Amino acid sequence: MALHRKALRDGLAWHSTAVVIAAVVAIPVGILTFSVLNPSVDVWRQQWNTRLPRQLIETSILLCGVGVGSLLVGGGLAWLVSAYQFPGSRVFRWLLIAPLAVPSYVLGFVTLSVFGFTGPIQGWWREIFGQDAWFPPIRSLGGAIIVFTLVLYPYVFLVARAALADQAGSSYQVARSLGASSFEAARRVMFPQLRPALAAGVAIVAMETLTDFGTVQYFGIDTVSVGVFRIWRGTFDLDAASEFATLVLLFALVVIGLERLGRGRARFGQAGGAASGLVQRRLTGIRSVLAFLLCGLVLTLSFAAPTVQLLTWAIREATGPRGTPLLERFAEFLGNTLLLATIVAIVCGIGAILVANAARFSGRSRTRLAARIASVGYAVPGPVVAIGSVFVLVGLDDGLGLIGIGLPGAVATGSLIGLVYAQTVRYLAPALQTVEAGIEQVPHEMTGAARSLGLRPRSVVASVHLPLARTSVLTGLVLVTVDVLKELPIVLLLRPIGFDTLSVWTFNLASESRFEQAALPAVAIIVVAMIPVGLLARQLFRGAS
Amino acid sequence: MTGMHLKTRRFLVALSAVSILSLPTACGGDGDTIRVYTGRHYDLEEAFEKFSSETGVSIEFLQGSDAELRERIAAEGEDTQADIYMTVDAGNLARAAEQGVFINIESDLLDEAVPESLRDPDGQWYALSRRARTIVYSSERMSSAEAPTTYEELAGPEWKGRLCLRNSSNTYTQSLVASLIGNVGYDEALRIVSGWADNAEILSNDVIALKSIRDGLCDVAIVNHYYLVRLMDDDPDFPVSLVWADQEGRGTHVNISGAGITKYADDPELALQLLEWLATDGQNSFVDGNHEYPVNPAVAPEDLIADEFGSTFVADDLNAAEFGALNADAVRLLDEAGYE
């Protein structure tokens, strides 16, 4: 009886923790969306009569295109490198996640510079085929879909690889040994087990695409996120812009709904360890060449070629007559970037571990709701989170003043704390999603057994859940780190004076269309982001080869 | 957003926020430091360092996007660290003035250095550099006699498929259209901009527009003058020439980079000293790096632009405060015109 009461009390404590975290994280977005209660009818009508219909259509096409594209590329390549051996397959197995390190806006401007009308490729094309020779339009919806697919497919690849190396792959193998054809085994046994992973990966891809507002503008795409900025920056109507930000949220809800559908009904709670993944078949002849070429092509377009192009520009500019502005502060920018990414990753990691475990211990369905609410920052564009956070932080400063803690200056908005807070609001979701997936893999029976042996939840987390979900936690930390390294709008708005990062440096140059001078900081971001990405590759695929 | 709304929002947040977070304190010791929030990025360091070495006053600055920095200052209110808010367009300055971010500056020196059309009538902000948004054309495929001379002309059917313009999310596009509204009225401006939209290939920046003329995608474009200087600096034979628009009429549209002193500046006198210096002795170190024109008529532009484009041209004297305030209308007009 006493034990039962204690369990209840513990459950309540965990539940409250999750609710508090969710509230803290959701406030900045919640505050802005409040304005929807008092809508700016004129602006809605004006937008509906002009740009909104097109924005809705282009957003939908873009999301579908990138979703399907990354599913095919990410899922297909994951299958290829998991099920077959061919020249380079062992290297591709981890190297194919490298594009995670490339910010989409960087691949966007490199693509336009190289393949656009004024770039060298089309220049040669015109020389050979004449001035009016047809060339596929790069600055188009199709171009944007390809660029987003190339930088975002690794999210799908990552989760599909992990699932294939684990249960889904093993089940396929068992089905095959029981006499199922490869198609049947894939369709009836493997695919249902793969679906949750694929759905989760595609959902992340869709969120990253939906909340982008820089890359899409390079490609002349009018999305609902672009609409928010036009209203805010162009007409200075923050209220109306906030209202339109709820449209972005609405799209995000649809994505989440589709993800739930896409997962299928399957629930798999098996402890890892026993699964041995797929038995790989060796490809020979033309097939092995094709497999190699396919992987090589994707990697070249998404990672190798843009990096080489950036390096070329970077070296040329840094050694040229103009030089690269602020090069002497490189170490400082690098240090700030690493510091920020590390702190945010740790904060998000802790938050995610608390919330994900709360769902297990509280025994309340509302805890799961809290977890979903804690993810809201990922579903709105960065600047919206940044502005919402400014209001919260200013409120915090005012509030502290009200209760008599007079602080000099704008402590909350003028310090690293505000910046870390806003970044956490934005990126708790990817950490939470991966950590949750890891904890869900731990059978409830195991948690129950540990509890009945008298362990407090805290100890269960430390000695049972975390060790078993280690890879998921690491994946979450890496995803957050990489996102923060690449992140721009929040750091731009909320950093303290003097705290500049690599992405701020890139922005300062790129915003003046000095793209070639921006190549150095851009390539620095990619190199730095390769560290966590490499770490992840090692951890995930250590045993696989 | 209304002031009332903002206050309510801030109060609500204050209440909830106190109970949730607690913070370590941090102190910002002052001394002689000016803090600038700036949407301007061009070689600021050089001008600021020069000022520091001449006066011993140090300058800290935070670079970002105009609109976001303005919202940050407005939200921070009296807690803001910003002594000066500096932008690269008139729209955000006008909006900041409307939000009550600035003090009214009283400075004979500034009033003399900055022409009337380039400052707020109440002295809330002053322009510090001028960037002309004008017409450029292919010097390979066209003679100067064939080049268009007015913005209106580009709406005509003869330019269909020959015009490159920057997208409507861009503040320079918005300012130009705002100045059209101010000069010829909304309806006529709508007719012109619709004509542009019919004729033009819309691109994402001015550099691409200029290179597109070089490569034959279009024959004419509207760009800020310094982008052309930059490309000519790289390639003296860059095959694009500049026309000062509307020299027979109201003159070329000039957008500004400017600044004002915030209401909560720690030391407004010191901040004023910097603005005065930037508008006079500091003009060249402030504008030359980016090949802009000085605002101060007594200051000569750098040799590079003076040689290429001349040191003077007829500029549209519609007050920057006026077209700044028309920015929101310009965005709606661009929507209505179907301009991408």
Side-chain angles (χ1 to χ4, degrees):
Chain A
M1 203 56 199
L3 191 68
H4 184 62
R5 204 175 301 132
K6 206 158 108 191
L8 273 181
R9 205 176 55 222
D10 284 340
L12 184 64
W14 280 92
H15 175 69
S16 315
T17 309
V19 169
V20 169
I21 291 176
V24 170
V25 166
I27 285 177
V29 179
I31 262 175
L32 287 180
T33 48
F34 256 127
S35 47
V36 116
L37 298 177
N38 183 15
S40 319
V41 179
D42 289 348
V43 183
W44 281 93
R45 186 176 301 131
Q46 188 263 350
Q47 286 294 305
W48 178 250
N49 288 330
T50 53
R51 306 182 80 96
L52 191 53
R54 189 177 147 197
Q55 284 168 355
L56 296 175
I57 293 168
E58 294 204 347
T59 307
S60 307
I61 297 176
L62 182 69
L63 289 184
C64 290
V66 178
V68 171
S70 55
L71 184 64
L72 292 178
V73 176
L77 291 180
W79 169 249
L80 194 61
V81 298
S82 303
Y84 300 102
Q85 282 182 5
F86 51 91
S89 61
R90 286 175 60 166
V91 180
F92 283 128
R93 226 164 268 161
W94 56 269
L95 202 56
L96 278 166
I97 64 171
L100 267 188
V102 182
S104 59
Y105 54 85
V106 170
L107 188 64
F109 79 62
V110 173
T111 304
L112 283 179
S113 302
V114 175
F115 291 97
F117 185 85
T118 57
I121 305 280
Q122 289 207 47
W124 294 326
W125 188 263
R126 284 192 298 271
E127 258 173 44
I128 300 168
F129 298 105
Q131 182 66 25
D132 297 322
W134 184 85
F135 195 88
I138 302 300
R139 200 170 167 278
S140 63
L141 201 47
I145 288 173
I146 291 173
V147 163
F148 277 114
T149 299
L150 285 174
V151 285
L152 296 175
Y153 83 82
Y155 287 108
V156 180
F157 179 83
L158 206 56
V159 287
R161 268 286 289 135
L164 284 170
D166 197 28
Q167 208 55 48
S170 307
S171 308
Y172 173 84
Q173 227 55 59
V174 171
R176 287 286 280 148
S177 70
L178 292 175
S181 72
S182 58
F183 178 75
E184 280 294 293
R187 189 179 71 86
R188 296 185 46 192
V189 180
M190 184 183 70
F191 186 63
Q193 296 200 14
L194 212 47
R195 273 174 70 169
L198 292 176
V202 172
I204 292 184
V205 168
M207 289 298 190
E208 297 268 348
T209 310
L210 172 64
T211 54
D212 174 274
F213 69 98
T215 314
V216 282
Q217 288 193 56
Y218 288 152
F219 286 87
I221 312 298
D222 208 358
T223 65
V224 284
S225 290
V226 173
V228 172
F229 294 105
R230 281 179 58 85
I231 294 168
W232 175 22
R233 292 189 177 149
T235 70
F236 311 125
D237 191 342
L238 185 54
D239 279 336
S242 309
E243 290 161 35
F244 279 79
T246 58
L247 266 186
V248 183
L249 264 178
L250 219 60
F251 267 94
L253 281 178
V254 173
V255 168
I256 292 167
L258 288 176
E259 190 217 335
R260 292 292 130 99
L261 276 181
R263 278 184 184 182
R265 288 214 197 118
R267 286 187 63 89
F268 307 95
Q270 300 185 40
S276 50
L278 288 170
V279 175
Q280 288 159 355
R281 283 173 45 206
R282 184 173 293 280
L283 290 180
T284 52
I286 186 77
R287 290 181 168 199
S288 70
V289 176
L290 283 178
F292 173 84
L293 286 179
L294 188 64
C295 294
L297 178 72
V298 170
L299 202 59
T300 304
L301 287 177
S302 60
F303 182 77
T307 308
V308 169
Q309 177 66 74
L310 287 169
L311 274 173
T312 315
W313 283 334
I315 293 167
R316 200 177 68 202
E317 288 294 324
T319 56
R322 275 188 305 246
T324 304
L326 303 184
L327 190 54
E328 69 281 2
R329 289 176 64 197
F330 183 81
E332 177 197 337
F333 297 150
L334 182 66
N336 288 344
T337 305
L338 290 172
L339 178 72
L340 181 64
T342 309
I343 297 177
V344 175
I346 291 171
V347 172
C348 284
I350 293 172
I353 288 169
L354 287 175
V355 174
N357 280 293
R360 170 74 44 115
F361 292 122
S362 84
R364 290 169 174 78
S365 60
R366 281 185 194 165
T367 314
R368 288 189 180 280
L369 182 65
R372 296 287 68 78
I373 289 173
S375 304
V376 73
Y378 198 52
V380 288
V384 175
V385 170
I387 279 292
S389 302
V390 167
F391 284 119
V392 172
L393 294 163
V394 163
L396 180 67
D397 267 343
D398 291 358
L400 289 174
L402 278 183
I403 57 171
I405 308 176
L407 299 170
V411 172
T413 52
S415 73
L416 212 51
I417 297 166
L419 183 53
V420 170
Y421 170 61
Q423 298 269 20
T424 305
V425 169
R426 177 97 175 92
Y427 293 121
L428 183 59
L432 188 54
Q433 185 149 20
T434 42
V435 173
E436 263 181 341
I439 305 254
E440 270 167 28
Q441 294 273 312
V442 181
H444 281 262
E445 295 77 12
M446 209 179 270
T447 309
R451 293 296 315 267
S452 67
L453 289 172
L455 285 185
R456 298 292 302 268
R458 189 178 324 146
S459 317
V460 179
V461 171
S463 48
V464 181
H465 290 179
L466 286 188
L468 284 173
R470 199 180 51 212
T471 305
S472 303
V473 173
L474 180 81
T475 307
L477 290 178
V478 166
L479 292 185
V480 175
T481 309
V482 172
D483 263 329
V484 175
L485 289 173
K486 298 187 289 186
E487 200 278 336
L488 181 65
I490 295 175
V491 74
L492 203 54
L493 180 62
L494 275 170
R495 69 196 196 285
I497 279 192
F499 186 88
D500 292 339
T501 63
L502 290 173
S503 59
V504 170
W505 188 21
T506 312
F507 164 81
N508 282 345
L509 294 165
S511 70
E512 311 296 358
S513 304
R514 300 185 179 197
F515 293 118
E516 302 190 355
Q517 287 184 308
L520 181 69
V523 85
I525 294 176
I526 296 177
V527 171
V528 172
M530 281 305 287
I531 301 169
V533 169
L535 207 71
L536 179 66
R538 235 192 83 180
Q539 172 74 20
L540 281 182
F541 309 139
R542 208 170 28 187
S545 50
Chain B
M1 132 146 17
T2 61
M4 188 60 205
H5 211 124
L6 185 73
K7 284 223 175 77
T8 325
R9 196 176 280 179
R10 281 181 62 172
F11 181 69
L12 281 174
V13 180
L15 279 184
S16 49
V18 180
S19 52
I20 292 164
L21 287 170
S22 64
L23 282 175
T25 53
C27 294
D30 252 21
D32 274 357
T33 302
I34 304 172
R35 294 193 178 83
V36 183
Y37 283 13
T38 169
R40 186 183 168 92
H41 309 115
Y42 316 97
D43 309 314
L44 270 179
E45 292 80 7
E46 201 189 313
F48 286 171
E49 270 166 27
K50 200 160 173 220
F51 177 78
S52 295
S53 68
E54 282 178 20
T55 60
V57 176
S58 67
I59 300 174
E60 292 178 355
F61 57 99
L62 183 75
Q63 295 172 318
S65 301
D66 288 338
E68 280 93 331
L69 291 173
R70 180 176 47 70
E71 294 295 355
R72 176 166 163 180
I73 296 173
E76 286 175 343
E78 59 182 319
D79 286 337
T80 194
Q81 290 183 298
D83 301 310
I84 287 174
Y85 170 55
M86 182 181 280
T87 73
V88 289
D89 82 315
N92 277 293
L93 288 172
R95 178 63 186 145
E98 206 182 315
Q99 280 176 305
V101 163
F102 292 135
I103 60 168
N104 293 333
I105 297 171
E106 281 172 31
S107 161
D108 293 340
L109 193 72
L110 276 179
D111 286 348
E112 197 183 320
V114 183
E116 216 172 338
S117 65
L118 298 174
R119 54 181 150 93
D120 178 64
D122 299 327
Q124 300 207 48
W125 49 262
Y126 288 77
L128 295 169
S129 78
R130 298 189 298 156
R131 40 266 295 284
R133 193 152 188 84
T134 192
I135 298 167
V136 289
Y137 65 95
S138 164
S139 51
E140 280 178 332
R141 296 185 298 279
M142 293 166 69
S143 69
S144 58
E146 290 170 298
T149 54
T150 65
Y151 302 110
E152 281 85 343
E153 208 180 320
L154 293 172
E158 66 274 27
W159 298 106
K160 185 151 186 79
R162 298 178 64 189
L163 175 65
C164 278
L165 292 173
R166 188 159 178 171
N167 63 33
S168 65
S169 299
N170 177 258
T171 160
Y172 307 138
T173 307
Q174 295 169 3
S175 277
L176 174 62
V177 172
S179 81
L180 280 179
I181 299 175
N183 280 307
V184 301
Y186 192 93
D187 293 338
E188 176 62 8
L190 179 60
R191 190 194 62 78
I192 297 167
V193 175
S194 302
W196 290 352
D198 281 346
N199 289 343
E201 178 84 19
I202 307 291
L203 301 172
S204 53
N205 66 60
D206 285 8
V207 173
I208 288 185
L210 287 161
K211 289 182 174 173
S212 295
I213 295 181
R214 176 195 67 191
D215 293 346
L217 181 64
C218 37
D219 294 328
V220 294
I222 300 177
V223 300
N224 282 8
H225 75 276
Y226 52 84
Y227 289 110
L228 178 56
V229 186
R230 221 192 272 167
L231 290 174
M232 292 168 92
D233 207 14
D234 285 345
D235 171 12
D237 299 323
F238 194 79
V240 174
S241 298
L242 175 144
V243 195
W244 289 120
D246 228 347
Q247 294 302 284
E248 310 292 318
R250 62 175 181 271
T252 302
H253 166 64
V254 171
N255 201 355
I256 56 164
S257 177
I261 299 172
T262 69
K263 208 192 289 179
Y264 302 106
D266 294 330
D267 189 345
E269 287 303 316
L270 204 59
L272 179 59
Q273 198 188 332
L274 174 61
L275 293 191
E276 287 177 341
W277 181 81
L278 287 172
T280 54
D281 297 344
Q283 272 277 276
N284 285 112
S285 61
F286 187 67
V287 304
D288 288 359
N290 191 43
H291 317 296
E292 287 170 81
Y293 280 92
V295 284
N296 190 335
V299 175
E302 61 163 355
D303 293 343
L304 193 59
I305 56 173
D307 291 348
E308 291 291 346
F309 308 144
S311 43
T312 56
F313 58 92
V314 180
D316 181 356
D317 63 2
L318 179 71
N319 192 302
E322 221 168 305
F323 67 75
L326 286 168
N327 206 79
D329 288 338
V331 173
R332 283 188 279 275
L333 187 149
L334 285 157
D335 287 346
E336 216 178 312
Y339 187 119
E340 185 191 297

